[in-house]
Amino acid sequence: MPNDRVYDLFVIGGGINGLGIACDAAGRGLSVALCEQGDLAEQTSSASSKMIHGGLRYLENWEFRLVQEALQEREVLMQNAPHLIDPLRLILPHAPGHRPAWMIRAGLFLYDYLATRQTLPSSERFCLANHPAGKVLNAAFKSAFAYSDCRVDDSRLVIANALTARGNGANILTRHRMERAESQNGRWHITLHRMENGDRVKLAARALVNAAGTAVETVLNAATTPRNQNRVRMVKGSHIVVPRIFEGPEAFLLQNPDGRVIFVIPFERHFSMIGTTDIPVETPENGWAISAAETNYLCESVNRYFQSQLSPDDVTWSFSGVRPLFDDGENDPSAVTRDYVLELEAPPSTPPALSVFGGKITTYRRLAEAAMDKLRPHFPGLGSAWTAYQPLAGGDLIAPNKEALSNLLKVTYPKIPNYLLQGLARRHGGYTLRVLDNARTIEDLGPDFGGGLTGREVDYLMTKEWAETPDDILWRRTKAGLHMDAAGRQKLEEYMATRT
């Protein structure tokens, strides 16, 4: 990369907020570069509960604007990334001692009302004796409520934004850590450290966006006047994955005695994902692995409700992330706002620097629009907002819906097993044809590593989606790591070594 390249906008951080902003800005005609010190979505953005939801429990904290915005975004994202987002019906078992039934009814009525453009079924109350869930829940639960939200492949949503940004000219630099950003002569002069070989890369930009997540204050202090104030509240959220505990398509929302709620969500066909915890941590380093206490807490939460009992030995996989929330002074970690805060610093004769605090995956697109609104005065002629109306990469299914796409793939590739085609379609949507290219038989797909992963897709992920390590592919570009044995993982590692 030439050292004298000047971009309009330089973004620090390869999570959902950074990529959302890069995607929006590039589509408005700005020249954009983004750096991420590791892999895209390597940290918090791949450690969510994997839901696109309004946040029913946020109503208890009176965050009506956030809930309404999130519910509106649920509709937009269902339209723009239909390959990554699926409707999800959630069941709330109810028993004496829980939040009062009238309170839940009122909350669900408000939730339905705030959704405005309702395309998903409304909430209801029903008798568990007449529902399959009644057969797996403890006999103490006689009735339940149900409402609608969506689930999402969170890390692939980040990748879809990265692909869309690159399609509009953005330069996405993974494994590049920002070392220094200095304001000189009306521009940001930025030095990056290339993690692979230690090289320094220098470039310049007219504006800086700091979407570094847990490191947002560190980056801000490195680029502007250092300050003692810390506005980031770090809260660790952990999940466990166990063999499927309910065969129906619904998820569960479980009320705990401590007032928290826990999701039990169908995951990767054969599993259930359970989470999340809310644990304050002082540093991000304390938040990337689940503790034994958290595992026990999640198992006990499920055991209060289900006839079959979980133990830590049942955990197939676990993951943890640190949510860098904006510190609003709340003592209870669960009550700290999940809303986003954007802070623009633009003193006279100084290029602007915008820092992103907080946010949630559901509202990332609106956060990006708000960021561009703040930067608009510094970019006369900036293009109009566009992301609400255009599909993300792969979101154009080249067919009316997922079922039609599946049928199209069966006809186009009759000699490739359907389970492989379906897995590719879930991950790549309309881009599945790019992945398969001229392949016509299973032999054309190269080595089979297990878990629905073949050499053809690995090559595509490495050349087109910034994947460099087995973990990039096993846990972020796909979830093949859940379905693959040790021999398959070793085979993948050896194969990728021949491709670098």
Side-chain angles (χ1 to χ4, degrees):
M1 182 192 304
N3 289 346
D4 58 354
R5 176 71 190 271
V6 179
Y7 291 91
D8 292 320
L9 193 67
F10 187 79
V11 181
I12 303 165
I16 190 62
N17 289 337
L19 265 306
I21 291 170
C23 177
D24 191 327
R28 296 183 193 229
L30 298 185
S31 58
V32 177
L34 176 145
C35 77
E36 163 55 48
Q37 65 179 353
D39 183 29
L40 302 180
E42 186 170 348
Q43 297 188 339
T44 306
S45 292
S46 59
S48 75
S49 294
K50 309 188 191 311
M51 291 184 65
I52 296 295
H53 66 129
L56 179 62
R57 70 179 181 83
Y58 304 154
L59 293 176
E60 291 185 319
N61 299 327
W62 306 95
E63 296 201 74
F64 300 128
R65 187 209 63 79
L66 173 62
V67 172
Q68 184 172 40
E69 181 175 278
L71 288 169
Q72 292 169 349
E73 284 303 287
R74 187 182 70 183
E75 301 289 328
V76 172
L77 294 174
M78 287 174 66
Q79 182 69 31
N80 291 350
H83 56 310
L84 303 177
I85 297 171
D86 291 297
L88 182 66
R89 194 72 169 163
L90 290 103
I91 296 173
L92 290 75
H94 189 261
H98 288 178
R99 291 168 175 85
W102 67 264
M103 181 184 294
I104 298 174
R105 278 197 301 266
L108 291 172
F109 174 81
L110 181 58
Y111 201 68
D112 289 340
Y113 174 77
L114 291 174
T116 57
R117 290 185 298 159
Q118 182 91 13
T119 59
L120 299 175
S122 299
S123 59
E124 62 177 335
R125 188 177 188 181
F126 62 93
C127 176
L128 281 167
N130 302 321
H131 192 281
K135 295 180 174 61
V136 298
L137 293 170
N138 292 329
F141 299 101
K142 307 297 185 185
S143 68
F145 296 88
Y147 72 100
S148 296
D149 263 320
C150 294
R151 56 182 172 177
V152 65
D153 188 326
D154 50 7
S155 52
R156 287 220 59 88
L157 186 63
V158 175
I159 297 298
N161 275 272
L163 291 169
T164 307
R166 186 176 64 188
N168 283 315
N171 189 6
I172 309 299
L173 301 166
T174 60
R175 271 93 181 181
H176 283 71
R177 178 169 54 83
M178 197 279 289
E179 280 192 345
R180 189 164 53 253
E182 298 176 325
S183 170
Q184 296 178 6
N185 302 320
R187 291 177 180 170
W188 287 105
H189 292 267
I190 300 154
T191 302
L192 305 178
H193 174 91
R194 189 176 181 186
M195 307 301 285
E196 180 183 13
N197 55 21
D199 287 352
R200 265 61 182 179
V201 176
K202 295 187 176 182
L203 50 85
R206 298 178 179 88
L208 187 73
V209 168
N210 172 14
T214 57
V216 61
E217 287 281 14
T218 302
V219 170
L220 183 59
N221 288 336
T224 61
T225 303
R227 78 286 310 279
N228 295 323
Q229 185 181 16
N230 183 6
R231 276 86 35 92
V232 177
R233 182 86 166 269
M234 297 189 194
V235 178
K236 172 187 177 183
S238 296
H239 297 77
I240 58 175
V241 176
V242 300
R244 190 96 175 237
I245 61 177
F246 177 61
E247 292 303 321
E250 296 91 350
F252 291 83
L253 183 64
L254 310 180
Q255 303 180 62
N256 276 354
D258 61 6
R260 296 207 67 255
V261 294
I262 298 295
F263 291 107
V264 180
I265 302 172
F267 188 63
E268 286 291 307
R269 302 186 304 285
H270 307 303
F271 300 92
S272 295
M273 181 179 66
I274 302 166
T276 177
T277 57
D278 267 320
I279 309 294
V281 292
E282 293 297 322
T283 66
E285 289 74 24
N286 296 328
W288 302 121
I290 193 170
S291 67
E294 287 177 288
T295 299
N296 288 330
Y297 174 85
L298 294 174
C299 289
E300 290 167 2
S301 298
V302 172
N303 291 344
R304 291 188 189 98
Y305 285 80
F306 286 82
Q307 295 177 28
S308 61
Q309 299 289 282
L310 288 180
S311 78
D313 292 338
D314 295 311
V315 175
T316 303
W317 180 48
S318 65
F319 59 93
S320 301
V322 179
R323 297 184 287 273
L325 307 177
F326 183 78
D327 192 349
D328 59 3
E330 284 284 352
N331 291 324
D332 181 359
S334 297
V336 178
T337 182
R338 267 53 176 177
D339 210 346
Y340 53 82
V341 174
L342 304 177
E343 181 182 89
L344 180 65
E345 294 192 13
S349 304
T350 301
L354 179 71
S355 293
V356 178
F357 297 86
K360 57 198 299 285
I361 196 164
T362 303
T363 54
Y364 86 89
R365 193 198 64 81
R366 289 286 285 271
L367 182 154
E369 284 190 339
M372 298 314 300
D373 287 343
K374 281 189 171 288
L375 290 170
R376 181 179 292 278
H378 302 277
F379 293 104
L382 181 69
S384 301
W386 64 280
T387 55
Y389 315 106
Q390 295 293 326
L392 289 166
D396 182 352
L397 297 180
I398 59 173
N401 51 48
K402 288 183 182 179
E403 183 178 358
L405 174 61
S406 179
N407 291 334
L408 173 63
L409 293 173
K410 288 180 192 176
V411 172
T412 308
Y413 303 96
K415 296 183 179 180
I416 295 178
N418 193 43
Y419 78 93
L420 288 176
L421 296 175
Q422 289 180 341
L424 290 171
R426 284 196 306 270
R427 293 189 285 272
H428 303 281
Y431 278 22
T432 301
L433 272 62
R434 301 187 184 194
V435 180
L436 292 171
D437 194 19
N438 59 355
R440 287 296 177 268
T441 68
I442 191 168
E443 290 76 20
D444 294 334
L445 299 182
D448 184 349
F449 304 104
L453 184 67
T454 67
R456 174 62 63 100
E457 186 176 14
V458 170
D459 290 346
Y460 179 86
L461 298 173
M462 294 181 71
T463 59
K464 302 298 184 183
E465 292 194 358
W466 303 275
E468 296 186 21
T469 73
D471 277 358
D472 296 349
I473 290 176
L474 292 174
W475 302 110
R476 289 181 286 278
R477 303 309 184 281
T478 77
K479 293 296 181 289
L482 263 178
H483 310 282
M484 189 183 296
D485 59 20
R489 289 192 288 271
Q490 179 65 32
K491 186 177 178 181
L492 172 65
E493 184 175 353
E494 293 170 356
Y495 180 83
M496 291 181 69
T498 69
R499 292 308 208 241
T500 57

